[in-house]
Every structure is written in structure tokens, then in C-alpha cells.
Amino acid sequence: MRFAGIDIGSRTIKLVAVDEAGQMKASFLADTGFDPITAAKKLLAEVSFERIMATGYGRNLFEIAFDAPTVTEIKAHATGARAIFPEARTVLDIGGQDSKAISLFENGKVKKFEMNDRCAAGTGKFLEIMAKTLGYDLEAFGREALFAENDLNISSMCTVFAESEVTSLIAKGNNRREIARGLHISVIRRAAGMINRVSSEGDIVFSGGVAKNPCMAAFLTDKLGRRVLIPENPQSIGALGAALLALEKKASA
Amino acid sequence: MSETYRPMWEQLGLDLQSHDALLGVLGQSYKDIYLTQKNRPEGMSYFDFVMSEVHGLRIKELLDEKAEGRKIIGSYCVFVPEEIALAAKATLVGLCSGADFAMEEVDKILPRNTCALIKSSFGFKLGKVCPYLESADLIVGENTCDGKKKAYESLGHLVDNLYVMDLPQVKSEEGKALLRSEYKRFKEAVEQLTGVSITVESLQEAIQTVNAKRAALYRLSSLRKADPAPISGLDALLANQVFFYDNPARFTESVNTICDELEKRIQEKQGSFPEKTPRILVSGCPQAVPNWKLPMIVESAGAVIVGEESCVGERGTRNLTDDSGETVEDMMEAIVDRYFQVDCAIFTPNPDRPQHNLEMSDDSKADGVIHYGLQFCQPYLMEAIPVEKALEEKNIPCLRVETDYSMEDVGQLKTRVEAFVEQLR
Ligand code: SF4
Ligand code: SF4
């Protein structure tokens, strides 16, 4: 028997299926596009399951369309991160358009959390737009930033202002790698602020699409002096958590 | 209600078209938010009626009082003592409002980073949609936060009957002396307005009237300790909001009637929500009618609000005034004593408020506290941090939210509140 979790984010939809022992058996990803429910339907056709739980910003749409239970991103990410790193007490998730830091009690329950406010500053979307402005693809963006020799300070956190700041830095002949580094550091500064508000020590599990960027993990370690753990499939942690919660619900039902 | 009251509104100088629009929105959101609730106490029908007549019958009553020679005083803060108004045969009404209105006009007078409460008060004036404001013979502003202090300077150009009360910011002897002299000045101003001198009897009676009103709400809030909670947070907030508009005696009676019913419900273990529903205390900025945004989100996320540490709530209603004084001076001093205990965030330092949050969480058996801060409200947003710290030291989870009256952040707020509720389960 299988249990599924679906994480409907603003940019991508993730679907994970687990078996009765909670082992991940399948994982899918698709673009959310303009119509999350149609996109979700397509993904659902890929797996069979006993019960499903939805999370992510589109969870309520899913709840209405499929009459499925929901859980917030916070609890889903906490649960997913613990499944992979059972000792984890701090989770950072940076997704397409949101970011959050969560601290956990020893037993895995959520202790405290922080989320970014209304705009895309400090999220995957920010990095994506900045990469484009600098003329890098996403992968090169992170890699090149790691090679930069000097720090360059980017003061704007707002996507629109940062874009024009970057344009003028390029025009002034600044090194592209250094600009890339500065942009990463500005996102890290914000993430570190969120983490510090919820927890002050111990390893940090880093999930979400942005965790795939090697530069981010390296800078985060530098900035906080804490070990950063990245799950194999960082984007699917929320969906995994939801799937495990669907399983748990079954067990208690 | 609209047809019968139109001439009255016109006479008050309201902009009928805007006013219709406002009532339309108000009626709709009341229906959506309040009337869809399940397991409401029957006594809430009184408040449904009050809300349906909030710009109708109640205004007519006020105008009838005026015709008989009473004066109407409008206020924006719980520091303006109703006792003094009543003793001099004036009626006090709250003017704070909880909805954005005429925002383009407001933006011409106030900077963008002004809290929603202040903006809304201006919006209701500029949009000519508040019959309370337009009925008032005297509008009392007070020097509390910087936002209000400066805003009254601008309001002074829009109305010709503004009276500004100075208020202390420190709970010292000097601070108390200031409050004493300001209340004395206010008493004289009210006496001058109504032409009625306050006597021992009238002041005592006024104190008793207001005490009864506060005691009734206090009784209501104690009943919310029960699990299952016999009344929703939305309904209890409404009672606290209507406190500022209604006829005092009738309000007291209606709240007590609800309390009788709640006592029965408690005995029968009947609740507005099932037993063991996560319980939340809301603390922070006042929530004026029709600002029901946060409680609506909280209670649709499967939690119940069991108390408001707020001026529209316990901060405004706890502590009664001693009515045993034998002279007007004695009783005026008792009034000063009572109000000087209000722990508004404009005071510095303000150690009573974190303490009070701890006491209230304990009393109301709250599982967690949501600190409600209006965007740009420096006093409460700053104080949210020490409040949160005090709570967390006692292992009471706290979520700080910062929002305004717009609906634009509802999705995000919902996620945060839902996650907080999950945390409490
Ligand atoms: S919060 Fe402070 S300023 Fe506002 S009504 Fe209450 S006491 Fe007055
Ligand atoms: S909410 Fe804050 S900023 Fe607004 S009037 Fe009250 S104290 Fe002032």
C-alpha cells in the first residue's frame, strides 16, 4: 500500500509516494503553470495510493478539487527533513517564491518558525532573475559565484531594485563573478537572519530548489559556522513530509 | 434598513452613495464571517441586531438623545473616561474604525507608513461615511503614540470640535499628576459642553454604570476559560467592539443574558468548538469594527480564541473604578487610579504588559499567543518582542503577526496561523 504527498508550490509541483514503512518509492516534479489542478491531475496519474495529503501554497485548491486533507508547508517540511535526518533540529527551506526557517523540539515537533513576507526577495525567484540579468544559466550562476575572489556588496533586497543595481554594476565594469557572489550573499544574509530568529546552534537541514545551488550551502556554512546538511532530493522534502503524514494519519485512523 | 434612515444620514452630511457602498460591504462580510459560524449562543442574536442597526437605530437613538439636550462625545482611545462623560449627561462613543475607506484621499493627508487604524479614522471622515463622527458634539483626541499625536493636528483642520487630551508616557508620580490634571480639564470641558455640573450622585451613578458594563464583559471573559469554549472568539470580540457604541445599560443587560446562557452551555459541555480545540490568546493592537480579519483566519484554521489582551478586550475592561468616594474629588481620584493601570504600549517602560500576557494565558488556559501588530505601529510591534520573550520563557508558544486591513496578505497569514495551530496540537 502506498501513501502520497503533494506539494503545490508557486513554481513547481512535487509528488512523493512512500510505502507502509515510510520509504520513498517514487518522486515526481512538474511545473505548476497557470492551472495547478490540471498539472496536479497529470502527476497523480503516475502513481496509485491509498491516501494523499496536500501541502504548499496551492493546498487549499487541491483540498477543494480532490477532497484531500492538507498540512502547512511548515509541518510538512519539518516532517520530511526529520525523516532523512532524524537528529535535525533546524530546517531552512528556500523555494521558488518563499522561504522559511523552522526549529524543532527533540521529538520533532515544530518549536518556532519564520517565513519571508509578501515578496519574492530572498527566494529562488530572486536568484533566477539575477542570474538572467547577469547572463548566466542557473547552474553557472552558483558555480561562478564560488570562484569569485572578492566580496561585492549588493544593498538591494528588492528584486526590482537589485536588478537595476546589478545592471549599473555591470555597466561600471565590475567583475560578473563578484556580482554573482554578492547576490548570493545577500540571499544568505536574509536566510541567516531567519535562522537566527528560530535557533542558535546545531546542524541545519537545507531544502528547497535553492539548496541545489552549491554556492548557497557553502556560504551558509561560512556565515553561520554551522554544518549544513542537504538531502539528496531537496525539492521533494515538503511532499515527502506530506506523504509521511498521510501514512501517519492512516495509522491513527 | 436603508430607506427609513436616509433622511437622517443626509441630515448628518453623509455621502449617501459611499455610505451605501460601505454598508453593503459591511453587511456582506458580517454575513460571511459571523452568520456562517456554527453553534453560536442564542444571545448573540442581540449583537446581530445591533450590527444590522449600527448606522441605523443606534444613530437615531443618539440623535433623539441630542434632541433632548444630551451631548455626544466621540473618542479614539480607552483613556478617555466614560464615567466623566456620563456624569455630565453626555454619551461617549468609540470612533475607531476597522476598514480602509477613501484611501486615495487619506494618502493626501497622511504618509503611507501610518497604521491602518489612524488611516481608517481619516478615511471615514474624508469619505463622510461615519454617522458617529458626524453626530459628535465633541471629538476627543489624545496624545498617545506619535502617529495619533501628529494625526490629530491634521484632523484639527477637518473638524471644528476637536479636543486633545494630553496623556503621560511614564507611570511615575509626575505622570499620574498629568493624568489627574488632564482629567480635571476634561471634566471642565465636558461640563461646559453640556452645561451640567458633575455632582457626587451623578458621578457615582456614572461609575456604577460603567463598572457594570465592564463587569459584564469580565464575566463573559471568565466564562471563556471553559473547555469546550462556550463562545467563539469572533463573537466575544464583537461584544467587546459593541461596548464602544451601545447604550451602556442595555449592553450590560445583553451581555449578562449571554453569560447566563453560556453558564448553561458550560454545564452541558456545549461549546462553539469541540473540546480540546487549540486555544489562542490574541494580544496587541485594538481590533475595531469591522476588523475581524485575524479571528476569522484563526477560527477557520481550527483554533478558538479565548481572550483578547487588547484595548478592544481586557486592557480596556479590566479593573473597576472605586465608587465609594464621598466627594467628587475622591471619585475623580479613583478614576485616575483606575485608568493609570491601563498598560498601553505607549508607556515606557511597560513591564505590566508582558506580565499581563502571562496571567491571561494562564487564566484563559491558552495553548499559545498570537501577537497582533498593525503594520507601522511602532509601540506594539516593538513591544511584541519582549512579550514574545516573556511567553517563551514560560514555554508558551507565541506567533508575531504584522498586518493591516487589506486582504492582500490573507493567504500568507493563513499559512502562518495554520502552522502555528499545528504546532499547538
Ligand atoms: S492601544 Fe493605547 S492608544 Fe490605542 S486605544 Fe489603547 S490605550 Fe489608547
Ligand atoms: S495601532 Fe499603534 S500606531 Fe496605530 S494608533 Fe494604535 S498605538 Fe498608534
Side-chain angles (χ1 to χ4, degrees):
Chain A
M1 238 181 292
R2 295 217 168 158
F3 300 88
I6 189 162
D7 178 357
I8 305 182
S10 55
R11 317 294 307 287
T12 53
I13 301 184
K14 284 74 72 174
L15 177 71
V16 162
V18 299
D19 64 14
E20 261 164 298
Q23 288 302 314
M24 199 196 292
K25 288 294 169 196
S27 159
F28 305 91
L29 187 143
D31 280 341
T32 306
F34 297 107
D35 178 4
I37 292 305
T38 309
K41 263 188 194 142
K42 262 190 213 144
L43 274 187
L44 290 184
E46 310 273 341
V47 286
S48 61
F49 50 83
E50 168 95 346
R51 182 193 276 277
I52 188 164
M53 174 99 67
T55 188
Y57 106 109
R59 67 187 181 285
N60 294 119
L61 287 176
F62 192 87
E63 181 181 17
I64 295 164
F66 298 93
D67 189 25
T70 62
V71 61
T72 64
E73 297 92 295
I74 304 293
K75 189 167 177 185
H77 276 89
T79 309
R82 283 286 279 217
I84 297 181
F85 301 105
E87 310 277 297
R89 300 284 296 270
T90 310
V91 181
L92 171 70
D93 176 80
I94 307 186
Q97 258 176 47
D98 72 343
S99 56
K100 45 196 161 291
I102 312 165
S103 68
L104 307 173
F105 287 110
E106 214 178 323
N107 66 6
K109 275 194 73 169
V110 173
K111 184 173 176 189
K112 203 166 171 55
F113 64 88
E114 282 279 337
M115 289 172 77
N116 69 322
D117 30 45
R118 307 176 198 192
C119 75
T123 67
K125 182 86 189 166
F126 175 86
L127 288 171
E128 214 174 280
I129 292 175
M130 294 307 129
K132 215 175 267 163
T133 312
L134 278 176
Y136 286 128
D137 63 43
L138 255 183
E139 216 170 294
F141 183 44
R143 197 180 53 231
E144 293 297 310
L146 270 177
F147 292 136
E149 276 159 21
N150 294 303
D151 280 348
L152 191 149
N153 189 43
I154 307 282
S155 50
S156 318
M157 269 315 306
C158 163
T159 313
V160 179
F161 288 141
E163 205 173 357
S164 55
E165 192 174 342
V166 166
T167 313
S168 91
L169 285 170
I170 299 174
K172 281 188 204 140
N174 281 285
N175 180 305
R176 268 208 308 163
R177 281 180 173 171
E178 286 174 12
I179 302 175
R181 186 181 171 97
L183 287 163
H184 279 84
I185 288 179
S186 83
V187 174
I188 288 295
R189 242 189 271 130
R190 203 173 164 106
M194 273 201 304
I195 294 174
N196 285 334
R197 282 195 292 277
V198 302
S199 98
S200 55
E201 55 181 16
D203 297 348
I204 297 162
V205 176
F206 186 12
S207 66
V210 172
K212 289 195 295 193
N213 178 332
C215 179
M216 291 294 287
F219 288 177
L220 193 61
T221 312
D222 275 2
K223 171 93 191 159
L224 292 175
R226 295 164 68 173
R227 195 154 64 123
V228 174
L229 308 170
I230 300 176
E232 200 177 306
N233 211 337
Q235 271 173 296
S236 61
I237 296 303
L240 171 64
L244 293 171
L245 289 164
L247 165 66
E248 204 175 279
K249 193 152 184 167
K250 157 77 185 173
S252 66
Chain B
M1 61 161 142
S2 49
E3 285 321 310
T4 27
Y5 297 120
R6 283 188 101 79
M8 173 177 86
W9 293 330
E10 201 152 16
Q11 192 196 331
L12 282 171
L14 297 192
D15 176 333
L16 290 185
Q17 214 179 338
S18 309
H19 186 248
D20 282 348
L22 175 72
L23 287 188
V25 174
L26 184 66
Q28 189 59 45
S29 56
Y30 192 77
K31 216 163 118 196
D32 294 346
I33 298 173
Y34 273 88
L35 302 181
T36 53
Q37 293 182 91
K38 293 196 188 94
N39 306 317
R40 294 178 84 202
E42 271 166 35
M44 281 312 293
S45 58
Y46 171 72
F47 290 98
D48 293 342
F49 177 70
V50 168
M51 282 312 292
S52 69
E53 289 288 344
V54 71
H55 281 194
L57 193 57
R58 182 62 187 139
I59 298 299
K60 182 167 180 309
E61 285 178 353
L62 291 177
L63 295 180
D64 289 349
E65 285 181 10
K66 271 173 79 125
E68 284 166 26
R70 273 185 88 92
K71 299 289 179 190
I72 312 294
I73 300 178
S75 125
Y76 293 100
C77 175
V78 301
F79 264 103
V80 179
E82 187 174 7
E83 293 87 339
I84 294 177
L86 290 179
K89 295 218 174 335
T91 298
L92 190 80
V93 292
L95 296 179
C96 288
S97 38
D100 289 336
F101 208 83
M103 292 304 270
E104 304 77 32
E105 294 303 309
V106 175
D107 281 344
K108 292 182 195 157
I109 303 187
L110 297 174
R112 236 174 46 80
N113 52 352
T114 305
C115 89
L117 205 61
I118 297 175
K119 278 191 177 166
S120 159
S121 303
F122 273 68
F124 275 59
K125 173 67 210 171
L126 295 166
K128 301 199 192 94
V129 290
C130 179
Y132 291 90
L133 186 95
E134 305 303 335
S135 324
D137 298 290
L138 187 74
I139 296 174
V140 185
E142 31 28 77
N143 293 339
T144 45
C145 67
D146 286 353
K148 280 211 217 175
K149 234 182 323 203
K150 300 306 285 184
Y152 292 128
E153 292 175 20
S154 308
L155 188 67
H157 299 295
L158 302 176
V159 299
D160 55 10
N161 52 356
L162 180 69
Y163 170 101
V164 177
M165 180 184 280
D166 198 15
L167 285 181
Q169 313 240 308
V170 179
K171 298 246 169 118
S172 58
E173 270 315 307
E174 292 77 6
K176 199 163 180 180
L178 172 62
L179 191 66
R180 189 178 295 122
S181 76
E182 281 297 294
Y183 280 3
K184 183 159 175 281
R185 188 171 71 90
F186 180 61
K187 172 175 169 281
E188 286 157 9
V190 178
E191 286 176 327
Q192 208 193 348
L193 176 77
T194 59
V196 176
S197 297
I198 293 179
T199 64
V200 175
E201 293 73 35
S202 74
L203 189 54
Q204 190 172 46
E205 197 191 322
I207 291 177
Q208 287 165 353
T209 303
V210 181
N211 276 351
K213 186 162 111 151
R214 293 202 175 108
L217 272 185
Y218 206 77
R219 182 176 165 212
L220 176 72
S221 76
S222 328
L223 294 171
R224 294 164 77 188
K225 288 176 195 170
D227 186 21
I231 184 169
S232 68
L234 273 165
D235 280 337
L237 174 65
L238 186 67
N240 277 287
Q241 290 173 330
V242 169
F243 175 90
F244 293 91
Y245 301 92
D246 205 3
N247 170 288
R250 186 176 56 207
F251 175 82
T252 304
E253 198 191 307
S254 310
V255 173
N256 278 321
T257 308
I258 291 194
C259 290
D260 294 341
E261 184 188 349
L262 296 189
E263 276 166 2
K264 275 201 216 94
R265 279 164 75 101
I266 293 172
Q267 263 176 12
E268 290 159 9
K269 285 216 150 268
Q270 212 189 338
S272 286
F273 291 86
E275 215 176 331
K276 302 229 156 58
T277 296
R279 303 163 66 85
I280 286 177
L281 174 72
V282 172
S283 168
C285 292
Q287 302 173 84
V289 171
N291 175 12
W292 302 307
K293 182 175 166 182
L294 182 70
M296 173 194 79
I297 292 174
V298 171
E299 298 199 328
S300 54
V304 56
I305 294 174
V306 291
E308 295 78 24
E309 192 280 320
S310 159
C311 279
V312 182
E314 286 222 8
R315 198 184 311 126
T317 56
R318 76 203 282 241
N319 303 324
L320 302 183
T321 308
D322 182 3
D323 66 349
S324 66
E326 284 175 5
T327 62
V328 169
E329 288 67 39
D330 283 353
M331 282 185 277
M332 285 294 290
E333 191 59 26
I335 292 175
V336 172
D337 283 339
R338 189 260 158 203
Y339 283 87
F340 203 53
Q341 295 177 59
V342 172
D343 51 356
C344 170
I346 60 129
F347 281 92
T348 178
N350 192 28
D352 287 354
R353 216 183 130 231
Q355 190 53 39
H356 190 201
N357 267 281
L358 291 174
E359 281 163 24
M360 272 189 82
S361 325
D362 204 40
D363 280 352
S364 61
K365 304 201 178 69
D367 300 306
V369 176
I370 296 185
H371 191 285
Y372 174 76
L374 281 175
Q375 214 178 2
F376 310 122
C377 168
Q378 232 167 16
Y380 281 94
L381 291 175
M382 286 224 181
E383 207 164 270
I385 296 171
V387 165
E388 176 183 52
K389 197 162 158 256
L391 289 163
E392 286 181 347
E393 269 164 18
K394 299 275 183 235
N395 292 320
I396 304 168
C398 177
L399 176 73
R400 282 188 274 136
V401 304
E402 182 181 336
T403 183
D404 55 19
Y405 292 170
S406 77
M407 289 296 139
E408 149 192 343
D409 63 341
V410 165
Q412 226 248 355
L413 215 50
K414 253 184 162 161
T415 300
R416 299 189 58 203
V417 168
E418 278 174 26
F420 187 62
V421 174
E422 283 170 353
Q423 194 182 326
L424 303 180
R425 279 185 205 277

